Amino acid sequence: MAVVVITGSSSGFGLQAALAFARNGDSVIATMRNPEKSEVLRDLASQEDLRVDVLALDVTESGTFDEFFENVVEKYGAVDVLVNNAGILRPGAFEDLDEAEIRLVMETNFFGPMLLSKAVLPHMREQQSGHIIMVSSLSGIAGLPGDVAYTGSKFALEGASEALRHEVDRWNIKLSLIQAGMYSTQIFPDKGDDVMPEGYPADSPYRTLVETKLRGVYESLKGALDPKDIANLMVTIASSSGEQLRWPADAVAKMVLQKMFAQNDTERDDFLRGVSGSDWWSNGEVAPTAGESE
């Protein structure tokens, strides 16, 4: 039975991961910035008679991390698995985003998981074992327009994780990355006809690019996959040998991962423009109308 700490557990991957690890017989510490949002998780766990402990943890408050893990180790005896799942997204063209928004994305998606990992490492070194699972993204290996801040945070997470695993493997500490396609989580809020983020600059020279991209995203959400699949994959990863770094979670992720690591820059650019439907933008053309192929 492993002691598993999961961030961002109020919804989506984190919520389902808490349930999946509890079903596996593990001791689960489900964390979230606001424990008042744990009602759904608690209800689902109660229905299956699963024990899931909920603790407050804000991944942007690094000053609390050392004390948090000391308390976990004191109560549970160890930290065997850390699932860095919490993340946010701020869609929009880079020039249109406020510096504060860009920094918040980096604080949440990069500095949060990396500094949490830094805080747990002394405990994992002492016990000579541990597994850190980073929830990355296809945006961590394939940069698309209208997604610069999120992409930057995930590329940084991928690179730092790949380097870190070689520093800590001598203590039998494993590190894994998950890449997922489109899943039904709350990272994209429900929208009506207006897909643009509230307050987006009306006079932005990038507005048509961002709006076209987001319309495509919301259309794709109609066929989004079940986050339970990611949660079950996390359980599988946690019991793996640790030799595999990147874990593509679905057919789309496997295809993208294969292409990204098998192409030269020209092929990569052509592929990314194709999958993002942004050839018209790079070619200086107007946005395609609804139903028109790009």
Side-chain angles (χ1 to χ4, degrees):
M1 181 177 71
V3 177
V4 183
V5 175
I6 307 167
T7 68
S9 298
S10 62
S11 64
F13 295 153
L15 184 152
Q16 294 299 334
L19 298 173
F21 278 105
R23 292 186 194 108
N24 194 52
D26 299 316
S27 296
V28 177
I29 301 100
T31 76
M32 56 195 72
R33 186 170 58 86
N34 183 3
E36 293 181 0
K37 294 184 177 181
S38 66
E39 183 176 350
V40 174
L41 172 59
R42 292 182 190 275
D43 286 347
L44 290 172
S46 177
Q47 290 172 21
E48 298 185 47
D49 197 24
L50 300 173
R51 178 179 175 180
V52 174
D53 293 342
V54 176
L55 294 180
L57 181 67
D58 186 338
V59 299
T60 67
E61 297 291 338
S62 60
T64 67
F65 295 171
D66 288 340
E67 183 179 3
F68 171 84
F69 282 118
E70 287 170 4
N71 291 337
V72 168
V73 171
E74 182 177 356
K75 180 176 180 179
Y76 297 89
V79 181
D80 299 302
V81 181
L82 169 62
V83 178
N84 281 305
N85 165 72
I88 60 172
L89 184 147
R90 293 292 185 270
F94 187 64
E95 191 177 338
D96 293 334
L97 297 178
D98 293 336
E99 180 180 344
E101 291 180 299
I102 298 167
R103 289 186 177 278
L104 181 59
V105 171
M106 291 300 297
E107 285 289 344
T108 306
N109 297 356
F110 174 69
F111 286 107
M114 291 307 299
L115 293 178
L116 268 172
S117 300
K118 177 180 171 66
V120 80
L121 282 175
H123 303 286
M124 290 184 171
R125 280 194 296 103
E126 183 175 355
Q127 66 196 29
Q128 295 282 300
S129 66
H131 203 139
I132 299 171
I133 300 174
M134 303 288 199
V135 178
S136 182
S137 167
L138 294 184
S139 294
I141 57 173
L144 302 180
D147 203 24
V148 172
Y150 185 76
T151 296
S153 70
K154 293 300 186 179
F155 261 78
L157 185 66
E158 291 254 343
S161 297
E162 187 164 22
L164 177 60
R165 72 194 300 252
H166 299 295
E167 294 183 355
V168 301
D169 56 0
R170 70 182 295 153
W171 292 286
N172 194 34
I173 300 171
K174 308 162 188 175
L175 201 146
S176 302
L177 290 157
I178 295 178
Q179 283 98 14
M182 187 66 73
Y183 285 77
S184 181
T185 69
Q186 295 180 9
I187 197 165
F188 284 98
D190 292 335
K191 287 279 191 176
D193 292 335
D194 185 7
V195 298
M196 295 297 286
E198 184 177 353
Y200 203 87
D203 59 350
S204 167
Y206 305 95
R207 190 176 179 91
T208 54
L209 170 67
V210 175
E211 185 171 7
T212 301
K213 173 187 171 60
L214 288 176
R215 289 198 182 281
V217 168
Y218 279 100
E219 184 65 27
S220 297
L221 284 173
K222 296 177 182 178
L225 301 172
D226 192 334
K228 292 179 182 177
D229 295 342
I230 298 295
N232 292 331
L233 178 60
M234 290 177 184
V235 175
T236 297
I237 293 172
S239 62
S240 71
S241 66
E243 293 180 6
Q244 182 174 337
L245 171 61
R246 292 180 173 86
W247 291 75
D250 49 75
V252 171
K254 290 174 182 177
M255 179 272 292
V256 173
L257 190 68
Q258 182 181 31
K259 283 185 174 293
M260 289 297 93
F261 286 92
Q263 295 177 317
N264 61 38
D265 285 346
T266 300
E267 293 169 336
R268 184 182 175 99
D269 283 347
D270 288 343
F271 173 73
L272 292 176
R273 288 178 180 177
V275 297
S276 66
S278 62
D279 270 335
W280 64 272
W281 176 261
S282 298
N283 294 336
E285 301 168 359
V286 299
T289 58
E292 180 180 337
S293 61
E294 289 107 21

PDB file of all heavy atoms in Angstrom, residues 70-94:
ATOM      1  N   GLU A  70       6.399  17.339   5.864  1.00  0.00           N
ATOM      2  CA  GLU A  70       6.776  16.862   7.200  1.00  0.00           C
ATOM      3  C   GLU A  70       5.565  16.319   7.935  1.00  0.00           C
ATOM      4  O   GLU A  70       5.637  15.273   8.609  1.00  0.00           O
ATOM      5  CB  GLU A  70       7.408  18.016   7.983  1.00  0.00           C
ATOM      6  CG  GLU A  70       8.813  18.378   7.496  1.00  0.00           C
ATOM      7  CD  GLU A  70       9.312  19.668   8.116  1.00  0.00           C
ATOM      8  OE1 GLU A  70       8.588  20.237   8.973  1.00  0.00           O
ATOM      9  OE2 GLU A  70      10.424  20.121   7.745  1.00  0.00           O
ATOM     10  N   ASN A  71       4.433  17.019   7.797  1.00  0.00           N
ATOM     11  CA  ASN A  71       3.208  16.558   8.458  1.00  0.00           C
ATOM     12  C   ASN A  71       2.696  15.254   7.849  1.00  0.00           C
ATOM     13  O   ASN A  71       2.215  14.366   8.566  1.00  0.00           O
ATOM     14  CB  ASN A  71       2.124  17.638   8.360  1.00  0.00           C
ATOM     15  CG  ASN A  71       2.444  18.857   9.207  1.00  0.00           C
ATOM     16  OD1 ASN A  71       3.208  18.777  10.169  1.00  0.00           O
ATOM     17  ND2 ASN A  71       1.867  19.998   8.858  1.00  0.00           N
ATOM     18  N   VAL A  72       2.795  15.132   6.526  1.00  0.00           N
ATOM     19  CA  VAL A  72       2.348  13.904   5.862  1.00  0.00           C
ATOM     20  C   VAL A  72       3.191  12.715   6.315  1.00  0.00           C
ATOM     21  O   VAL A  72       2.660  11.643   6.650  1.00  0.00           O
ATOM     22  CB  VAL A  72       2.405  14.057   4.330  1.00  0.00           C
ATOM     23  CG1 VAL A  72       2.217  12.693   3.649  1.00  0.00           C
ATOM     24  CG2 VAL A  72       1.347  15.037   3.840  1.00  0.00           C
ATOM     25  N   VAL A  73       4.506  12.899   6.332  1.00  0.00           N
ATOM     26  CA  VAL A  73       5.392  11.804   6.736  1.00  0.00           C
ATOM     27  C   VAL A  73       5.170  11.438   8.196  1.00  0.00           C
ATOM     28  O   VAL A  73       5.171  10.251   8.563  1.00  0.00           O
ATOM     29  CB  VAL A  73       6.862  12.181   6.481  1.00  0.00           C
ATOM     30  CG1 VAL A  73       7.797  11.151   7.090  1.00  0.00           C
ATOM     31  CG2 VAL A  73       7.132  12.308   4.983  1.00  0.00           C
ATOM     32  N   GLU A  74       4.946  12.440   9.047  1.00  0.00           N
ATOM     33  CA  GLU A  74       4.704  12.167  10.459  1.00  0.00           C
ATOM     34  C   GLU A  74       3.426  11.339  10.644  1.00  0.00           C
ATOM     35  O   GLU A  74       3.377  10.423  11.479  1.00  0.00           O
ATOM     36  CB  GLU A  74       4.581  13.480  11.234  1.00  0.00           C
ATOM     37  CG  GLU A  74       4.370  13.282  12.730  1.00  0.00           C
ATOM     38  CD  GLU A  74       4.318  14.588  13.491  1.00  0.00           C
ATOM     39  OE1 GLU A  74       4.522  15.663  12.876  1.00  0.00           O
ATOM     40  OE2 GLU A  74       4.066  14.549  14.716  1.00  0.00           O
ATOM     41  N   LYS A  75       2.389  11.646   9.836  1.00  0.00           N
ATOM     42  CA  LYS A  75       1.107  10.959  10.003  1.00  0.00           C
ATOM     43  C   LYS A  75       1.060   9.622   9.280  1.00  0.00           C
ATOM     44  O   LYS A  75       0.540   8.637   9.809  1.00  0.00           O
ATOM     45  CB  LYS A  75      -0.027  11.856   9.501  1.00  0.00           C
ATOM     46  CG  LYS A  75      -1.402  11.220   9.632  1.00  0.00           C
ATOM     47  CD  LYS A  75      -2.515  12.164   9.217  1.00  0.00           C
ATOM     48  CE  LYS A  75      -3.886  11.490   9.362  1.00  0.00           C
ATOM     49  NZ  LYS A  75      -5.004  12.404   8.980  1.00  0.00           N
ATOM     50  N   TYR A  76       1.620   9.579   8.067  1.00  0.00           N
ATOM     51  CA  TYR A  76       1.468   8.386   7.223  1.00  0.00           C
ATOM     52  C   TYR A  76       2.733   7.530   7.146  1.00  0.00           C
ATOM     53  O   TYR A  76       2.682   6.406   6.655  1.00  0.00           O
ATOM     54  CB  TYR A  76       1.052   8.786   5.809  1.00  0.00           C
ATOM     55  CG  TYR A  76      -0.298   9.469   5.737  1.00  0.00           C
ATOM     56  CD1 TYR A  76      -0.393  10.844   5.870  1.00  0.00           C
ATOM     57  CD2 TYR A  76      -1.461   8.738   5.537  1.00  0.00           C
ATOM     58  CE1 TYR A  76      -1.627  11.485   5.806  1.00  0.00           C
ATOM     59  CE2 TYR A  76      -2.698   9.366   5.465  1.00  0.00           C
ATOM     60  CZ  TYR A  76      -2.764  10.745   5.608  1.00  0.00           C
ATOM     61  OH  TYR A  76      -3.985  11.373   5.552  1.00  0.00           O
ATOM     62  N   GLY A  77       3.864   8.086   7.571  1.00  0.00           N
ATOM     63  CA  GLY A  77       5.095   7.310   7.596  1.00  0.00           C
ATOM     64  C   GLY A  77       5.963   7.422   6.364  1.00  0.00           C
ATOM     65  O   GLY A  77       7.133   7.028   6.387  1.00  0.00           O
ATOM     66  N   ALA A  78       5.423   7.948   5.264  1.00  0.00           N
ATOM     67  CA  ALA A  78       6.182   8.033   4.020  1.00  0.00           C
ATOM     68  C   ALA A  78       5.407   8.868   3.007  1.00  0.00           C
ATOM     69  O   ALA A  78       4.237   9.223   3.231  1.00  0.00           O
ATOM     70  CB  ALA A  78       6.428   6.637   3.443  1.00  0.00           C
ATOM     71  N   VAL A  79       6.081   9.199   1.922  1.00  0.00           N
ATOM     72  CA  VAL A  79       5.420   9.710   0.720  1.00  0.00           C
ATOM     73  C   VAL A  79       5.965   8.878  -0.429  1.00  0.00           C
ATOM     74  O   VAL A  79       7.112   9.041  -0.848  1.00  0.00           O
ATOM     75  CB  VAL A  79       5.692  11.204   0.460  1.00  0.00           C
ATOM     76  CG1 VAL A  79       4.934  11.653  -0.794  1.00  0.00           C
ATOM     77  CG2 VAL A  79       5.284  12.064   1.641  1.00  0.00           C
ATOM     78  N   ASP A  80       5.161   7.968  -0.933  1.00  0.00           N
ATOM     79  CA  ASP A  80       5.624   7.055  -1.974  1.00  0.00           C
ATOM     80  C   ASP A  80       5.402   7.595  -3.379  1.00  0.00           C
ATOM     81  O   ASP A  80       6.211   7.357  -4.277  1.00  0.00           O
ATOM     82  CB  ASP A  80       4.905   5.708  -1.831  1.00  0.00           C
ATOM     83  CG  ASP A  80       5.192   5.047  -0.495  1.00  0.00           C
ATOM     84  OD1 ASP A  80       6.380   4.806  -0.201  1.00  0.00           O
ATOM     85  OD2 ASP A  80       4.234   4.782   0.257  1.00  0.00           O
ATOM     86  N   VAL A  81       4.298   8.307  -3.571  1.00  0.00           N
ATOM     87  CA  VAL A  81       3.955   8.828  -4.894  1.00  0.00           C
ATOM     88  C   VAL A  81       3.477  10.269  -4.751  1.00  0.00           C
ATOM     89  O   VAL A  81       2.627  10.568  -3.899  1.00  0.00           O
ATOM     90  CB  VAL A  81       2.850   7.987  -5.571  1.00  0.00           C
ATOM     91  CG1 VAL A  81       2.527   8.550  -6.961  1.00  0.00           C
ATOM     92  CG2 VAL A  81       3.245   6.525  -5.659  1.00  0.00           C
ATOM     93  N   LEU A  82       4.019  11.141  -5.583  1.00  0.00           N
ATOM     94  CA  LEU A  82       3.535  12.515  -5.685  1.00  0.00           C
ATOM     95  C   LEU A  82       3.013  12.711  -7.098  1.00  0.00           C
ATOM     96  O   LEU A  82       3.764  12.565  -8.071  1.00  0.00           O
ATOM     97  CB  LEU A  82       4.651  13.523  -5.394  1.00  0.00           C
ATOM     98  CG  LEU A  82       4.334  14.991  -5.736  1.00  0.00           C
ATOM     99  CD1 LEU A  82       3.153  15.512  -4.900  1.00  0.00           C
ATOM    100  CD2 LEU A  82       5.566  15.874  -5.527  1.00  0.00           C
ATOM    101  N   VAL A  83       1.727  13.025  -7.213  1.00  0.00           N
ATOM    102  CA  VAL A  83       1.121  13.292  -8.519  1.00  0.00           C
ATOM    103  C   VAL A  83       0.926  14.797  -8.653  1.00  0.00           C
ATOM    104  O   VAL A  83       0.066  15.390  -8.003  1.00  0.00           O
ATOM    105  CB  VAL A  83      -0.229  12.568  -8.683  1.00  0.00           C
ATOM    106  CG1 VAL A  83      -0.845  12.910 -10.046  1.00  0.00           C
ATOM    107  CG2 VAL A  83      -0.059  11.068  -8.535  1.00  0.00           C
ATOM    108  N   ASN A  84       1.761  15.423  -9.476  1.00  0.00           N
ATOM    109  CA  ASN A  84       1.664  16.858  -9.726  1.00  0.00           C
ATOM    110  C   ASN A  84       0.665  17.087 -10.862  1.00  0.00           C
ATOM    111  O   ASN A  84       1.019  17.058 -12.039  1.00  0.00           O
ATOM    112  CB  ASN A  84       3.040  17.423 -10.097  1.00  0.00           C
ATOM    113  CG  ASN A  84       3.921  17.630  -8.894  1.00  0.00           C
ATOM    114  OD1 ASN A  84       3.544  18.314  -7.942  1.00  0.00           O
ATOM    115  ND2 ASN A  84       5.101  17.037  -8.909  1.00  0.00           N
ATOM    116  N   ASN A  85      -0.574  17.315 -10.466  1.00  0.00           N
ATOM    117  CA  ASN A  85      -1.662  17.429 -11.435  1.00  0.00           C
ATOM    118  C   ASN A  85      -2.199  18.848 -11.596  1.00  0.00           C
ATOM    119  O   ASN A  85      -2.652  19.212 -12.675  1.00  0.00           O
ATOM    120  CB  ASN A  85      -2.813  16.496 -11.013  1.00  0.00           C
ATOM    121  CG  ASN A  85      -4.090  16.806 -11.739  1.00  0.00           C
ATOM    122  OD1 ASN A  85      -4.228  16.543 -12.930  1.00  0.00           O
ATOM    123  ND2 ASN A  85      -5.051  17.403 -11.026  1.00  0.00           N
ATOM    124  N   ALA A  86      -2.158  19.660 -10.540  1.00  0.00           N
ATOM    125  CA  ALA A  86      -2.781  20.988 -10.587  1.00  0.00           C
ATOM    126  C   ALA A  86      -2.222  21.816 -11.737  1.00  0.00           C
ATOM    127  O   ALA A  86      -1.014  21.853 -11.970  1.00  0.00           O
ATOM    128  CB  ALA A  86      -2.558  21.712  -9.263  1.00  0.00           C
ATOM    129  N   GLY A  87      -3.114  22.487 -12.444  1.00  0.00           N
ATOM    130  CA  GLY A  87      -2.678  23.315 -13.558  1.00  0.00           C
ATOM    131  C   GLY A  87      -3.776  24.259 -13.999  1.00  0.00           C
ATOM    132  O   GLY A  87      -4.959  24.034 -13.744  1.00  0.00           O
ATOM    133  N   ILE A  88      -3.371  25.339 -14.663  1.00  0.00           N
ATOM    134  CA  ILE A  88      -4.331  26.305 -15.192  1.00  0.00           C
ATOM    135  C   ILE A  88      -3.953  26.652 -16.620  1.00  0.00           C
ATOM    136  O   ILE A  88      -2.834  26.377 -17.073  1.00  0.00           O
ATOM    137  CB  ILE A  88      -4.384  27.603 -14.354  1.00  0.00           C
ATOM    138  CG1 ILE A  88      -3.011  28.294 -14.338  1.00  0.00           C
ATOM    139  CG2 ILE A  88      -4.873  27.313 -12.941  1.00  0.00           C
ATOM    140  CD1 ILE A  88      -3.036  29.666 -13.701  1.00  0.00           C
ATOM    141  N   LEU A  89      -4.885  27.251 -17.333  1.00  0.00           N
ATOM    142  CA  LEU A  89      -4.662  27.638 -18.721  1.00  0.00           C
ATOM    143  C   LEU A  89      -5.197  29.048 -18.927  1.00  0.00           C
ATOM    144  O   LEU A  89      -6.290  29.372 -18.443  1.00  0.00           O
ATOM    145  CB  LEU A  89      -5.364  26.649 -19.649  1.00  0.00           C
ATOM    146  CG  LEU A  89      -5.180  26.823 -21.159  1.00  0.00           C
ATOM    147  CD1 LEU A  89      -5.189  25.455 -21.837  1.00  0.00           C
ATOM    148  CD2 LEU A  89      -6.285  27.690 -21.749  1.00  0.00           C
ATOM    149  N   ARG A  90      -4.435  29.871 -19.614  1.00  0.00           N
ATOM    150  CA  ARG A  90      -4.871  31.216 -19.984  1.00  0.00           C
ATOM    151  C   ARG A  90      -4.722  31.349 -21.495  1.00  0.00           C
ATOM    152  O   ARG A  90      -3.670  31.732 -22.001  1.00  0.00           O
ATOM    153  CB  ARG A  90      -4.050  32.289 -19.259  1.00  0.00           C
ATOM    154  CG  ARG A  90      -4.252  32.334 -17.764  1.00  0.00           C
ATOM    155  CD  ARG A  90      -5.662  32.817 -17.405  1.00  0.00           C
ATOM    156  NE  ARG A  90      -5.836  32.977 -15.973  1.00  0.00           N
ATOM    157  CZ  ARG A  90      -6.265  32.019 -15.157  1.00  0.00           C
ATOM    158  NH1 ARG A  90      -6.540  30.823 -15.642  1.00  0.00           N
ATOM    159  NH2 ARG A  90      -6.425  32.250 -13.865  1.00  0.00           N
ATOM    160  N   PRO A  91      -5.772  31.019 -22.255  1.00  0.00           N
ATOM    161  CA  PRO A  91      -5.647  31.080 -23.716  1.00  0.00           C
ATOM    162  C   PRO A  91      -5.552  32.508 -24.212  1.00  0.00           C
ATOM    163  O   PRO A  91      -6.077  33.441 -23.602  1.00  0.00           O
ATOM    164  CB  PRO A  91      -6.946  30.409 -24.194  1.00  0.00           C
ATOM    165  CG  PRO A  91      -7.925  30.648 -23.083  1.00  0.00           C
ATOM    166  CD  PRO A  91      -7.111  30.599 -21.823  1.00  0.00           C
ATOM    167  N   GLY A  92      -4.875  32.670 -25.325  1.00  0.00           N
ATOM    168  CA  GLY A  92      -4.748  33.993 -25.921  1.00  0.00           C
ATOM    169  C   GLY A  92      -3.388  34.173 -26.560  1.00  0.00           C
ATOM    170  O   GLY A  92      -2.438  33.463 -26.239  1.00  0.00           O
ATOM    171  N   ALA A  93      -3.310  35.119 -27.479  1.00  0.00           N
ATOM    172  CA  ALA A  93      -2.035  35.430 -28.103  1.00  0.00           C
ATOM    173  C   ALA A  93      -1.088  36.024 -27.067  1.00  0.00           C
ATOM    174  O   ALA A  93      -1.512  36.774 -26.171  1.00  0.00           O
ATOM    175  CB  ALA A  93      -2.238  36.409 -29.248  1.00  0.00           C
ATOM    176  N   PHE A  94       0.171  35.695 -27.163  1.00  0.00           N
ATOM    177  CA  PHE A  94       1.147  36.096 -26.156  1.00  0.00           C
ATOM    178  C   PHE A  94       1.167  37.613 -25.959  1.00  0.00           C
ATOM    179  O   PHE A  94       1.225  38.104 -24.829  1.00  0.00           O
ATOM    180  CB  PHE A  94       2.532  35.604 -26.577  1.00  0.00           C
ATOM    181  CG  PHE A  94       3.601  35.820 -25.545  1.00  0.00           C
ATOM    182  CD1 PHE A  94       3.539  35.170 -24.326  1.00  0.00           C
ATOM    183  CD2 PHE A  94       4.662  36.672 -25.795  1.00  0.00           C
ATOM    184  CE1 PHE A  94       4.532  35.363 -23.368  1.00  0.00           C
ATOM    185  CE2 PHE A  94       5.648  36.876 -24.855  1.00  0.00           C
ATOM    186  CZ  PHE A  94       5.578  36.223 -23.630  1.00  0.00           C
TER     187      PHE A  94
END
